[in-house]
Amino acid sequence: MGYSSEDISDLDKANNKAMEAGAEKLGVPPHYDKDLVGEMDERERDIVEDGIHKFSRLGWKRLTVVLIVEAVALGSLSIPSSFAKLGMVAGVICTVGLGLVAVYTSHIIGQVKLKFPHVAHYPDAGQLMFGRFGKELINIMLILELLFLTGSHCLTGTIAFVNITSSDVCSVVWGVVSAVILLLLAVPPSFTEMAILGYVDFVSIIAAIGITIIGTGIKSTKEIGLSNVNWSAWPHEGLTFTDGFIAISNIIFAYSFALCQFSFMDEMHTPKDYVKSIWALGITEIIIYTLTGALIYAFVGVDVGSPALLSAGNLLSKVAFGIALPVIFISGSINTVVLGRLVHGRIFKNSPIRFINTKMGWITWLAVITVATVVAFVIAEVIPFFNDLLSICSALFVSGFTFYFPALMWFILIREGNWNEPKNLALGAINVAVLLIGLVTLVGGTYSSVDDIINNYREGSVRGVFSCSPPA
């Protein structure tokens, strides 16, 4: 929501004013209507100033934590099953390679934010590139993606509670419980406040993954011996296009942090520090995902479950799911917060209500996140199978937010100088490759996801909509 005067030099302030003026010419909406502020009484001005301060406290370390909370969650739980389909070699190459690409595109997003400070959310960047149409298109895509993400966390919460309790309670009940927890954790509207929960979140996912790795290793050693585990360096025999692309899409899903980066950076008091955050996050993700995928696949083999915690054995999987509950719900709720900030901020763009520090601000905020959570719960019940839900998210939305939109941003917003300059030729080639990765994921991933969903329903291998049967 702008910069803190205590953290920016006079020169930086002058540069920011110049950039803000350029952004306004390109149609990016200001944080609030300055003419409107001039018409406010003293109390309303205090509300606005308090709101600006409230949403301008995020440093790069907390940004890293928030990014980790948003990113290192469900994606890590699907990686081992992707390795089982692709094989160890292709699994490692895809995990490391796509991770580096995601860091690069995240860097482009950061450059756009620095060049156009008033870009508060991803749709604002869409307006810079393609006008009103681009803004509305990306707005719809971002809202749907965040709803699907929250829905996937609601589904995982249901799987966790069913696994932990081993009770006869209808799984829809556990879905409702998961939705309520997600809603309660989404009440704090500031990412700075959410970052505090992030430390618990990070410890949770690391501990859950660690228990699963140790548990699967011990189980395999006792039961069949590690040398007898059925894993392969090469793709699974008889691998279909659908299964292979779903496996790749699930790895892409694990690197979906770019869609929220504009929103997170908008609360930074020193936005240029974002580079430290994305590299810290990128290296952390690549290491965690590669080790998780490779080790659990090597210990379990082709029959590894998804989420991976299901492979730790009956008792240990209950323990792992119990420890993973914070990451399931905290990471899920942060998607609701991003969605709420996007919708609430747009509805009350020129009103102090948008700062959520008045009675009406809180009432409208709670209404927005409640509606979002209910819709996410319905999505989780309509697509009650883990891998396909993640895959369709990747294909329809992450392909754009992580790959082809950032590539287009470089061509339209970032590139400077003549095309024949060596730097532009090299970066141009890189961004064409990134653009192609995004488009291939969009087409191939969407086809594969829809095909697999149809096959699952046709074969009766998943529960019906709003059924009491456990989700797949």
Side-chain angles (χ1 to χ4, degrees), residues 45-82:
R45 288 197 189 95
D46 289 341
I47 291 173
V48 170
E49 293 302 322
D50 178 66
I52 293 172
H53 174 72
K54 177 180 180 180
F55 293 112
S56 303
R57 297 176 293 152
L58 196 64
W60 77 267
K61 293 178 182 177
R62 282 198 173 183
L63 173 62
T64 304
V65 172
V66 174
L67 285 169
I68 287 174
V69 170
E70 193 266 336
V72 185
L74 301 188
S76 60
L77 305 183
S78 69
I79 296 292
S81 66
S82 294

Side-chain angles (χ1 to χ4, degrees), residues 116-333:
F116 306 99
H118 279 315
V119 175
H121 298 286
Y122 219 118
D124 296 335
Q127 183 168 354
L128 282 176
M129 291 189 289
F130 309 116
R132 181 65 181 271
F133 170 77
K135 177 177 182 177
E136 297 305 331
L137 174 64
I138 294 181
N139 204 44
I140 293 171
M141 289 178 63
L142 182 56
I143 289 173
L144 289 174
E145 165 68 348
L146 292 168
L147 287 172
F148 270 76
L149 284 173
T150 304
S152 64
H153 283 266
C154 186
L155 174 63
T156 311
T158 303
I159 295 173
F161 283 128
V162 169
N163 186 273
I164 292 169
T165 61
S166 298
S167 66
D168 295 328
V169 175
C170 178
S171 61
V172 176
V173 174
W174 292 123
V176 172
V177 171
S178 298
V180 170
I181 296 173
L182 286 167
L183 174 61
L184 293 176
L185 289 174
V187 170
S190 168
F191 299 124
T192 306
E193 295 161 351
M194 292 296 294
I196 297 172
L197 294 175
Y199 298 103
V200 178
D201 182 285
F202 185 65
V203 172
S204 168
I205 191 61
I206 295 300
I209 290 173
I211 288 174
T212 304
I213 291 174
I214 295 171
T216 53
I218 293 174
K219 181 182 177 184
S220 296
T221 301
K222 288 184 176 180
E223 294 183 358
I224 60 174
L226 289 178
S227 61
N228 296 317
V229 175
N230 183 22
W231 69 270
S232 172
W234 311 112
H236 185 267
E237 186 176 351
L239 180 69
T240 64
F241 176 84
T242 293
D243 288 341
F245 223 104
I246 287 175
I248 294 174
S249 296
N250 284 343
I251 295 176
I252 290 173
F253 178 88
Y255 294 110
S256 60
F257 55 89
L259 79 161
C260 296
Q261 187 176 330
F262 282 119
S263 304
F264 296 157
M265 286 184 65
D266 202 46
E267 283 197 23
M268 293 187 74
H269 55 68
T270 313
K272 63 183 179 181
D273 285 346
Y274 81 94
V275 176
K276 303 174 186 177
S277 296
I278 62 170
W279 273 108
L281 170 68
I283 292 171
T284 300
E285 279 194 305
I286 291 171
I287 292 173
I288 291 176
Y289 293 160
T290 305
L291 290 178
T292 300
L295 291 176
I296 295 179
Y297 175 46
F299 291 154
V300 179
V302 295
D303 296 323
V304 63
S306 186
L309 304 185
L310 293 170
S311 300
N314 186 47
L315 178 60
L316 272 183
S317 68
K318 293 179 186 294
V319 174
F321 268 119
I323 292 175
L325 287 177
V327 72
I328 291 171
F329 294 117
I330 294 173
S331 294
S333 64

Side-chain angles (χ1 to χ4, degrees), residues 313-363:
N314 186 47
L315 178 60
L316 272 183
S317 68
K318 293 179 186 294
V319 174
F321 268 119
I323 292 175
L325 287 177
V327 72
I328 291 171
F329 294 117
I330 294 173
S331 294
S333 64
I334 202 167
N335 295 300
T336 310
V337 174
V338 175
L339 174 59
R341 289 278 301 279
L342 177 67
V343 174
H344 190 270
R346 180 165 182 173
I347 294 173
F348 301 104
K349 180 174 64 173
N350 293 325
S351 169
I353 291 175
R354 71 180 298 225
F355 293 111
I356 317 172
N357 54 358
T358 61
K359 181 179 179 180
M360 184 54 65
W362 279 105
I363 291 174

